Amino acid sequence: MGELQQIAWPVVVILMLAFYGGSFYMSTRISRKRENADGYMTGGGKIGFGISAASMTATWIWASSMYASATSGYQFGISGPIHYGLWGALMILLIYPFGRRIRKVAPRAHTIAEVMFARHGRSSQLMLAGSNVLGSVISLTSNLIAGGALISLLSPFTFTQGILAIGAGVLLYTLWSGFRASVLTDFAQVIAMLGAVVIIVPVVFFAAGGPGLFEAGADNLTPEQGNFFSSKAFFEQGAPYIAAVLAYAIGNQTIAQRLFAVREDLIKKTFVTATVGYGATIIGVGMLGVIALYAGIEPLGGDVNNLIPQMAATYLGPVLICVFFVMIIGSLSSTADSDLTALSSIMMADVYGQNVAGKRNANPKVMLFVGRVTMVVAVVAALGFASIQFSILDLLVFVGALWGALVFPVISSFYWKRVTNVAFTVSVLVALVAFIPVRFEWIPMTGAIAITSDVLSTVGVGVVLGLMAFGFLGRRAGLIIGTVATLASAPFAIGFLHQYSVLSGSLIAYAVSTIVCVAITMFNTSKSFDFSLIKVRTGDFDPAHEEQETKEGVTR
């Protein structure tokens, strides 16, 4: 392995100023003297295909997903990035069938939590909003960690200086125009990222030894890492991520925000395009971890977060290191600004708009102030958390599993008229109570507890596959596939799955929330919700100043 190369500090400063200065200039081009609260949150709900697809792709081709995919490749071999990228792409695709239903009943909403308020009431709304605040702060933190690791390895600057620069840069161009600035800059960022990936991954591969590396470095792999169909890779990476992606698709506000922003007739086209772009890119970048594994490279300081920048610093020349630097900065910034706009929309619509002022009395100027203050506070909080330097992969899997408790109650609330606020709230709380001790191994998995855990996990398998089938094929197919999956997996899963706490915790969250929600709902024989009320109860907060999309160019 060659010595690590670094970018001189003046070059780093120039690259950062050019990137964030250019992003800021783009945001000023769409700024308005009288900013619109609805446009600040969702761009008016009429953003076109090109911008929407690029924004969805850029949002999920983030630095953390690149780093996590490479970590997966390093830990599990070639099957690791495929598990990570393929199931992550499936997550984006799953938005399409459920997204059509959500937009049909709530065409002018801003957040999923806002729709839950219209459907159920305050407790359901705050549960979903609270989980998204946690998720977006963790996501923002993980992106700062990725950027800090990049800057500390590729430049003379420290980790702390790196996260401060990135936090300030993202805040600079996102603060004024909110979501509209995020999606517009995403378009430029995704072009830069995809171009860099196409060049950088092959260069690193051939610099590390090319095809001969797989033969020369085979001894560096364990039998499990060398097995493409490794059960270890599936149960520790693939299966937990399959469970997590459905939760991300339904619970994540950065996705929901783009769902509410894109023109309704372009939902399918947008998310199918983003699915392909994300899957190909993330699997490709994850192969850097596989190359490191075959090359026998040890992550600097034992920290796998250093792996991707370490590979770049080892195998790339000065010019390509600069290209790589911009690629990572672009990927983390595209998601960090999405996290900021998601957090601001939650505080604007769900906290202030619905619970403090009330929808009829909400002042758009105050809403904008709340949104901007939220961004500042979020960046400060994420900087504090980033200094702890958590494992990015652990953060992502934890959030996905946590959202698993919400998936069935949320989806059923859009289709089943009899689901009540009590069914939603109680099912989520009980699922979290069941999930947390299993996920963090607070209780010994032996005897009856282990069997109970496995039974619930087996039900969770059926719930996950059944909901996926329901989204694409309808209720009957969902019930059949869910039932068959549960029965078919039972002989193998019971007595076995409790050994994998991450997977078990996630599946238990799905199973318990589903069982409790269905049980309570079945007792409701008199109340039937009218879905047309959601359209009435949600909508613009600032109707007197609608977006002028054609002048801004974001609908083209």
Side-chain angles (χ1 to χ4, degrees), residues 79-244:
S79 64
I82 294 175
H83 278 307
Y84 191 94
L86 185 62
W87 307 129
L90 178 63
M91 174 272 298
I92 301 175
L93 188 62
L94 279 169
I95 305 166
Y96 152 60
F98 296 117
R100 289 187 307 173
R101 173 63 180 174
I102 293 170
R103 279 295 294 271
K104 181 179 179 180
V105 301
R108 301 292 293 176
H110 308 86
T111 71
I112 293 289
E114 179 189 358
V115 182
M116 286 299 102
F117 180 84
R119 174 67 174 86
H120 291 304
R122 185 166 286 110
S123 63
S124 301
Q125 177 198 31
L126 294 181
M127 278 185 176
L128 202 54
S131 69
N132 267 287
V133 168
L134 176 62
S136 289
V137 170
I138 288 177
S139 174
L140 183 59
T141 299
S142 68
N143 275 287
L144 292 179
I145 291 172
L150 173 79
I151 289 175
S152 64
L153 277 180
L154 297 187
S155 77
F157 295 111
T158 65
F159 176 86
T160 301
Q161 290 170 331
I163 62 176
L164 286 171
I166 291 168
V170 174
L171 189 62
L172 173 70
Y173 72 83
T174 311
L175 187 65
W176 181 252
S177 296
F179 180 78
R180 294 185 296 117
S182 174
V183 295
L184 186 62
T185 55
D186 279 348
F187 186 82
Q189 289 162 356
V190 78
I191 297 300
M193 282 189 292
L194 294 178
V197 168
V198 169
I199 297 170
I200 286 169
V201 175
V203 169
V204 171
F205 174 64
F206 285 105
L213 178 67
F214 292 114
E215 182 177 351
D219 292 340
N220 294 323
L221 278 65
T222 66
E224 285 289 343
Q225 289 172 330
N227 179 11
F228 183 79
F229 300 101
S230 166
S231 61
K232 179 180 175 67
F234 179 75
F235 285 108
E236 293 187 12
Q237 171 64 62
Y241 209 58
I242 293 172

Side-chain angles (χ1 to χ4, degrees), residues 20-32 35 172-178 180-182 184-185:
Y20 287 118
S23 298
F24 176 69
Y25 175 74
M26 292 176 68
S27 70
T28 61
R29 298 291 295 173
I30 60 170
S31 64
R32 298 171 60 83
E35 184 59 82
L172 173 70
Y173 72 83
T174 311
L175 187 65
W176 181 252
S177 296
R180 294 185 296 117
S182 174
L184 186 62
T185 55

Side-chain angles (χ1 to χ4, degrees), residues 234-273:
F234 179 75
F235 285 108
E236 293 187 12
Q237 171 64 62
Y241 209 58
I242 293 172
V245 297
L246 182 60
Y248 268 99
I250 300 304
N252 191 295
Q253 172 57 21
T254 61
I255 295 177
Q257 200 164 18
R258 280 149 184 79
L259 171 64
F260 290 125
V262 66
R263 264 178 35 201
E264 193 170 349
D265 60 312
L266 297 174
I267 290 175
K268 178 180 179 180
K269 188 177 179 181
T270 295
F271 289 107
V272 169
T273 302

